[in-house]
Amino acid sequence: MANQDFYQVLGVPRNADQDEIQRAYRKLARTYHPDVNSDPAAEDRFKEISEAYDVLSDPQTRRRYDAFGPDFRQVPEDVDPDEWRRRRAGAGAGQTRGGFQSGGSGRGDGFSFSGGDIDLEDLLGGVFGGRAGRRWGPIPGADQEAELEVTVEEAYRGARRTVALTGEGTRRSFEVTVPAGVTDGQRIRLAGQGGRGSDGAGNGDLYLVVRIAPHPRYRLDGRDLYVELRLAPWEAALGTSVPVDTPGGEVKVKVPGGTSSGRQIRLRGRGLPNPKGKAGDLFAEARIMVPTRLSHAERRLFEQLAAESDFDPRRQR
Amino acid sequence: MNYAIVRAARLSLEEFALLSGLHPDLIRRLVALGLIDADRDTAGELWFSRAEFGAVARVQRLRAGFALNYAAIGLVTDLLDRIAVLEAALRGQAARRPGR
């Protein structure tokens, strides 16, 4: 992260003026601030943006960043950028950092500084560390939200899932138990896995919002499960018993005689289970299908039925 | 008979200030601006629920991130809450509509 170019992070040219930098930062902050954007990846982005702005908004630090690059914090305060440039140019081509050696050259003309790893985190104090002189103290992290898509079958039976969240250079994965009977929009809470708190304050929580994936055969409304039940005209007219696949296995649906398309046959308690009460129902929706091509015999029988019957489906009741 | 030790359901101003790391005067101001909820008893003392820690943290984050004044933060948090409710409703609607 420290190697990211701060100008690129803010999306401004290197010669941008302070107004432009400020504008770019404000716009990005409005998009990625953890309270505005609950996506876990947004936090890392916001951190980068804040860090870039911290450096570029202060003309002094910006000058040092321009001169010394990403490692500018390790160059001592009293080094003059122009002097440094001259010396680096003089140190010969090809040597990128030749003019400055960690630990110093031991000669009077070299700049010396103890390299060492300086933790940016220490300098910036986390996401909201802020500029020098503007410390906010410990601030707990924000809650975050991520989507967890589950199938209808998983919602019915419950499941164990490994959820991986990838941020900028970070990857976290969680073993999550999806409880049986979970509904669309329900939230699974992972305590302390949300946004990081600054200065030792507690982390926020991560909420996985359950999204039930569209299914080719099932439709869900809360815990009620709808499934299409295709019937031949004579089955619908005479009544029958049809096996129907449900997430819980095959069930027999008794279709009463005189069933028209659209009729819903309810199987109580055969929908999604409810850990805290009544299970949902299964609704088999009748849909009458006819053959696209009729055999001679079928045609004859339908013609006979048409001549015989006085049924008029369009008659006003 | 034994009783389980239960955390006090509500916190005094001093306890709340201590645990949130903010000055009691600032907490009082946040209450006055309607940024956090508190109950006032007959003696005029303020009492806080633990749920308000989240609200205080959000106020601090918004202030640090946007340099907003506290009155403006009130507007922002209200709008964020309303958006969250609308988004949840929208998601619910989309889920109920088949054949997406």
Side-chain angles (χ1 to χ4, degrees):
Chain A
M1 201 157 86
N3 293 328
Q4 269 266 42
D5 181 67
F6 289 153
Y7 290 96
Q8 266 175 27
V9 168
L10 293 182
V12 293
R14 296 194 86 80
N15 58 6
D17 60 19
Q18 289 302 311
D19 276 357
E20 217 171 318
I21 286 169
Q22 155 109 314
R23 195 166 61 236
Y25 166 71
R26 293 281 170 221
K27 272 193 177 164
L28 290 167
R30 287 202 293 269
T31 309
Y32 293 102
H33 189 281
D35 284 287
V36 178
N37 191 334
S38 59
D39 184 346
E43 186 187 347
D44 291 336
R45 186 88 172 87
F46 183 71
K47 209 165 167 176
E48 279 180 6
I49 296 159
S50 304
E51 193 186 323
Y53 182 64
D54 271 336
V55 171
L56 299 186
S57 61
D58 178 28
Q60 191 79 24
T61 359
R62 182 182 175 183
R63 213 161 57 94
R64 286 169 52 75
Y65 175 72
D66 289 345
F68 308 128
D71 297 329
F72 73 98
R73 288 182 215 277
Q74 291 167 33
V75 180
E77 288 286 337
D78 52 3
V79 175
D80 177 53
D82 297 329
E83 179 86 347
W84 186 80
R85 234 189 317 270
R86 261 199 307 282
R87 276 173 187 277
R88 203 163 75 141
Q95 269 188 304
T96 45
R97 292 190 190 177
F100 281 81
Q101 288 169 6
S102 296
S105 65
R107 304 234 317 259
D109 59 354
F111 293 112
S112 72
F113 61 98
S114 52
D117 286 325
I118 296 176
D119 192 356
L120 274 185
E121 211 84 319
D122 287 345
L123 289 162
L124 295 171
V127 187
F128 297 106
R131 264 120 272 158
R134 268 185 65 197
R135 297 200 63 85
W136 298 94
I139 305 179
D143 292 344
Q144 296 176 343
E145 267 185 18
E147 251 184 37
L148 175 65
E149 198 174 72
V150 302
T151 62
V152 173
E153 286 86 352
E154 284 172 325
Y156 185 89
R157 282 197 203 96
R160 277 196 75 71
R161 286 277 296 271
T162 308
V163 180
L165 294 176
T166 39
E168 311 261 339
T170 56
R171 192 183 159 84
R172 297 181 290 160
S173 69
F174 309 95
E175 276 280 316
V176 185
T177 305
V178 180
V182 78
T183 53
D184 198 87
Q186 204 170 311
R187 307 202 301 170
I188 298 172
R189 176 167 170 260
L190 304 179
Q193 300 289 354
R196 275 155 287 173
S198 67
D199 288 342
N203 291 348
D205 298 332
L206 172 65
Y207 288 95
L208 296 175
V209 183
V210 171
R211 185 81 29 244
I212 295 183
H215 194 282
R217 296 193 50 241
Y218 304 123
R219 184 163 60 82
L220 269 177
D221 183 4
R223 293 196 166 85
D224 290 338
L225 197 57
Y226 292 81
V227 60
E228 192 181 81
L229 179 64
R230 297 185 173 200
L231 298 169
W234 46 91
E235 287 177 330
L238 303 173
T240 182
S241 180
V242 189
V244 173
D245 279 334
T246 75
E250 199 181 88
V251 291
K252 280 255 188 280
V253 176
K254 254 189 78 149
V255 182
T259 292
S260 293
S261 273
R263 180 173 191 169
Q264 294 182 340
I265 301 161
R266 174 154 76 169
L267 285 102
R268 217 177 276 275
R270 293 291 195 149
L272 257 54
N274 185 352
K276 288 188 209 131
K278 231 169 67 105
D281 298 330
L282 178 88
F283 291 92
E285 292 179 314
R287 184 163 171 215
I288 295 164
M289 310 290 288
V290 294
T292 30
R293 278 220 190 88
L294 296 174
S295 68
H296 277 300
E298 281 169 337
R299 177 171 296 278
R300 202 157 26 81
L301 285 166
F302 270 118
E303 281 168 355
Q304 201 183 330
L305 180 63
E308 198 74 35
S309 174
D310 59 359
F311 173 61
D312 178 7
R314 289 169 296 279
R315 189 166 52 210
Q316 304 288 325
R317 264 166 291 171
Chain B
M1 195 186 272
N2 291 321
Y3 291 96
I5 296 167
V6 184
R7 257 193 210 160
R10 48 184 210 165
L11 302 164
S12 70
L13 176 64
E14 283 67 34
E15 288 169 318
F16 189 79
L18 195 71
L19 289 170
S20 61
L22 297 178
H23 195 279
D25 285 347
L26 177 57
I27 304 280
R28 229 180 258 122
R29 216 177 128 207
L30 296 180
V31 173
L33 286 164
L35 290 170
I36 52 175
D37 286 331
D39 292 327
R40 198 179 286 276
D41 65 14
T42 44
E45 288 295 314
L46 291 173
W47 294 93
F48 298 84
S49 95
R50 287 183 180 271
E52 295 309 309
F53 285 125
V56 169
R58 178 159 76 163
V59 167
Q60 287 174 278
R61 286 192 303 264
L62 287 169
R63 186 159 161 79
F66 296 119
L68 293 174
N69 65 35
Y70 287 119
I73 290 173
L75 174 69
V76 170
T77 51
D78 284 357
L79 291 175
L80 286 174
D81 289 343
R82 277 168 62 183
I83 289 169
V85 169
L86 291 173
E87 281 180 344
L90 214 61
R91 276 201 298 260
Q93 249 176 35
R96 244 169 274 130
R97 202 171 302 139
R100 268 177 295 168

